[in-house]
Amino acid sequence: MEEKTCIQIRYSDSNTSEELIYELMSVEADAYSPEYRGEFESIRQRFLKFKDMFILAYDGDKLIGYLCYFPISRSLHDEVLFNHIFHDDDIESNDVMAIGKRNYIYLISICLIKAYQKKGIGQELMNAFFEKLKEYNSCGNTIVDVLAAVVTEAGEGIAKVNGMSEICDETLKDYKLFVLSGDKLC
């Protein structure tokens, strides 16, 4: 009989230690090729600006995956949306914003250790993400849209299943851009 794992979803916040970044990098090393792995200092700078940026999946005390998002500046949003430019580890901390009245969210990654992929955990992370967006909206803030650049077939599947639309028909190098806006965010 197969043992069922009990996955817990947790949120990073202002009390979360920077040590979490090393755990995240370990998950990335298992799941992503080197060109899609973040560097400690760039992750740290964004984390210091918006500590709510991680939704974490644990199996017991072991971090097995995460979803990373943050509000971005209008200029970065427009560059991604209209110029179809992929940003990842090159996002500057000054483009990471606090939640305000009008918000543009960049969903930068959903990452799971390979042994935990294709078990519905990515969708659990997305559900927790949507709950967070509802929480922001219920506090009088507006989420204008969510942008996502996906680099894997699994990421593309999650984006489509969750109502995101591909925003660029042209062939882009190694990624696709998706957007979620309007009533789908409520």
Short mmCIF file of all heavy atoms in Angstrom, two decimals, residues 14 16 44 52 66 94 108 143 160:
data_model
loop_
_atom_site.label_atom_id
_atom_site.label_comp_id
_atom_site.label_asym_id
_atom_site.label_seq_id
_atom_site.Cartn_x
_atom_site.Cartn_y
_atom_site.Cartn_z
N SER A 14 6.67 38.72 6.90
CA SER A 14 7.71 39.57 7.46
C SER A 14 8.58 38.87 8.50
O SER A 14 9.67 39.31 8.80
CB SER A 14 7.11 40.84 8.06
OG SER A 14 6.22 40.51 9.10
N THR A 16 9.66 35.73 8.07
CA THR A 16 10.41 34.68 7.39
C THR A 16 11.88 35.06 7.29
O THR A 16 12.23 36.17 6.91
CB THR A 16 9.83 34.43 5.99
OG1 THR A 16 8.44 34.11 6.12
CG2 THR A 16 10.55 33.30 5.28
N ARG A 44 17.25 37.66 -2.77
CA ARG A 44 17.27 38.32 -1.47
C ARG A 44 16.77 39.76 -1.56
O ARG A 44 15.98 40.22 -0.75
CB ARG A 44 18.68 38.29 -0.89
CG ARG A 44 18.81 38.94 0.47
CD ARG A 44 20.27 38.87 0.96
NE ARG A 44 20.44 39.79 2.04
CZ ARG A 44 20.67 41.10 1.92
NH1 ARG A 44 20.79 41.65 0.73
NH2 ARG A 44 20.79 41.86 2.98
N ASP A 52 6.11 38.71 1.34
CA ASP A 52 4.98 37.80 1.10
C ASP A 52 5.12 37.03 -0.21
O ASP A 52 4.19 36.35 -0.63
CB ASP A 52 3.67 38.59 1.05
CG ASP A 52 3.29 39.18 2.38
OD1 ASP A 52 3.90 38.81 3.40
OD2 ASP A 52 2.38 40.03 2.41
N TYR A 66 7.53 25.64 -4.34
CA TYR A 66 7.07 26.99 -4.03
C TYR A 66 6.47 27.65 -5.25
O TYR A 66 6.70 27.24 -6.39
CB TYR A 66 8.21 27.86 -3.48
CG TYR A 66 9.26 28.18 -4.52
CD1 TYR A 66 9.13 29.32 -5.32
CD2 TYR A 66 10.36 27.36 -4.72
CE1 TYR A 66 10.08 29.61 -6.29
CE2 TYR A 66 11.30 27.64 -5.68
CZ TYR A 66 11.15 28.77 -6.46
OH TYR A 66 12.08 29.07 -7.43
N ASN A 94 13.91 47.66 -7.27
CA ASN A 94 13.10 48.87 -7.41
C ASN A 94 11.88 48.65 -8.30
O ASN A 94 10.98 49.49 -8.35
CB ASN A 94 13.92 50.07 -7.88
CG ASN A 94 14.52 49.87 -9.25
OD1 ASN A 94 14.73 48.75 -9.69
ND2 ASN A 94 14.81 50.96 -9.93
N ILE A 108 6.37 34.70 -11.07
CA ILE A 108 7.68 34.44 -11.66
C ILE A 108 8.01 32.96 -11.75
O ILE A 108 8.70 32.52 -12.65
CB ILE A 108 8.79 35.23 -10.92
CG1 ILE A 108 10.08 35.24 -11.72
CG2 ILE A 108 8.98 34.73 -9.51
CD1 ILE A 108 11.09 36.24 -11.22
N ILE A 143 -6.27 44.11 -8.12
CA ILE A 143 -5.26 43.39 -8.91
C ILE A 143 -5.68 43.61 -10.36
O ILE A 143 -6.71 43.10 -10.79
CB ILE A 143 -5.22 41.88 -8.56
CG1 ILE A 143 -5.02 41.65 -7.06
CG2 ILE A 143 -4.16 41.18 -9.41
CD1 ILE A 143 -3.75 42.19 -6.47
N LYS A 160 -2.87 27.53 -18.37
CA LYS A 160 -4.11 27.36 -19.13
C LYS A 160 -5.24 26.83 -18.26
O LYS A 160 -6.37 27.32 -18.36
CB LYS A 160 -3.86 26.43 -20.32
CG LYS A 160 -3.03 27.09 -21.41
CD LYS A 160 -2.77 26.14 -22.56
CE LYS A 160 -1.97 26.83 -23.67
NZ LYS A 160 -1.66 25.90 -24.76
#
